[in-house]
Amino acid sequence: GCVLACGNYLNGGTNRGQADGFDLEQLAKLHLVKDNEGRDLRYFISAQLSPGGQFESCGPQLFEDLAALLQLVKRRVARTSEGTDVASKQLRASMEDLDQAVRNLRKEFDETDELLRGCLQEDLDPTDPMRFELPQEFQRAKVAFENTKMLLESAKAEYKQVQTHFVADKMPSEQFFLLWDEALLPGDILA
């Protein structure tokens, strides 16, 4: 709402001044709008989301959520052969990557569990610690895995709600996360 309110105010008196929404890609252009002192629109929006601002009630939660998102992005500044600095960004893990990693872990766990069960059916020394310790370890691992899977499912559901809110249902999570990162930390400012 804060970005939309700013856009409507800045476009007041035009046919774009009464917008009900905006294209999400416009977030990456917030740094292009500056005040008389050279501060860009992100500075103003941050002030409005901070204590004393118009949107202070949602600011702390938004900042906390965005901090978690920004930690997912790996940023690197490199110098080109022409001597200019160029920033590159890469997502450490997308929602799709995490989903695939959990499926792979499940497959590996099931295969290893089957091997363990086969081994335990063999005539082993009854005093062999493997007979007692490994099944308990596997049970703990299974509980930890199921908890991780539940966390991922919860995160996916929340992410889906955010995507729906921003009408970005078809946008891959990598693109969505990098778009927010670029809005807050534009590559040309990093370089």
Side-chain angles (χ1 to χ4, degrees):
C2 186
V3 175
L4 180 61
C6 287
N8 281 338
Y9 179 80
L10 292 171
N11 289 310
T14 72
N15 62 350
R16 294 171 44 189
Q18 297 295 318
D20 294 327
F22 61 92
D23 187 20
L24 202 54
E25 280 80 13
Q26 297 303 313
L27 288 175
K29 297 180 181 179
L30 295 177
H31 69 286
L32 299 175
V33 180
K34 299 186 189 246
D35 67 10
N36 294 343
E37 296 173 17
R39 295 178 300 212
D40 66 47
L41 192 53
R42 292 168 306 156
Y43 176 84
F44 176 76
I45 291 170
S46 293
Q48 296 307 308
L49 290 165
S50 297
Q54 288 288 102
F55 298 94
E56 70 178 321
S57 63
C58 62
Q61 184 63 51
L62 178 64
F63 290 140
E64 185 179 320
D65 293 345
L66 289 174
L69 183 139
L70 294 175
Q71 291 176 4
L72 292 174
V73 179
K74 178 180 177 182
R75 296 167 204 82
R76 184 170 167 239
V77 177
R79 189 156 298 210
T80 65
S81 58
E82 293 85 33
T84 54
D85 291 336
V86 178
S88 64
K89 298 179 179 190
Q90 181 180 16
L91 197 63
R92 295 178 199 275
S94 68
M95 294 299 285
E96 298 83 5
D97 293 339
L98 293 173
D99 204 31
Q100 183 61 47
V102 167
R103 282 195 302 271
N104 291 344
L105 270 174
R106 181 63 197 209
K107 182 180 178 204
E108 185 179 327
F109 178 84
D110 288 344
E111 290 170 355
T112 307
D113 190 42
E114 189 176 318
L115 284 172
L116 174 64
R117 290 181 194 284
C119 287
L120 291 175
Q121 303 231 344
E122 297 292 320
D123 271 341
L124 296 176
D125 178 359
T127 61
D128 189 343
M130 185 174 97
R131 183 174 286 285
F132 302 105
E133 292 174 14
L134 279 179
Q136 291 173 358
E137 288 297 319
F138 264 73
Q139 186 57 35
R140 280 193 283 275
K142 185 176 185 177
V143 169
F145 175 80
E146 292 302 327
N147 289 340
T148 300
K149 187 176 174 185
M150 286 179 9
L151 283 172
L152 177 61
E153 292 304 319
S154 173
K156 284 172 38 181
E158 287 184 39
Y159 172 66
K160 196 63 168 165
Q161 287 177 340
V162 170
Q163 274 188 307
T164 301
H165 177 78
F166 286 107
V167 192
D169 300 67
K170 305 280 188 257
M171 187 181 289
S173 64
E174 180 174 10
Q175 182 182 352
F176 187 79
F177 293 159
L178 288 174
L179 183 130
W180 281 97
D181 187 80
E182 188 63 21
L184 299 167
L185 299 167
D188 60 335
I189 290 177
L190 293 175

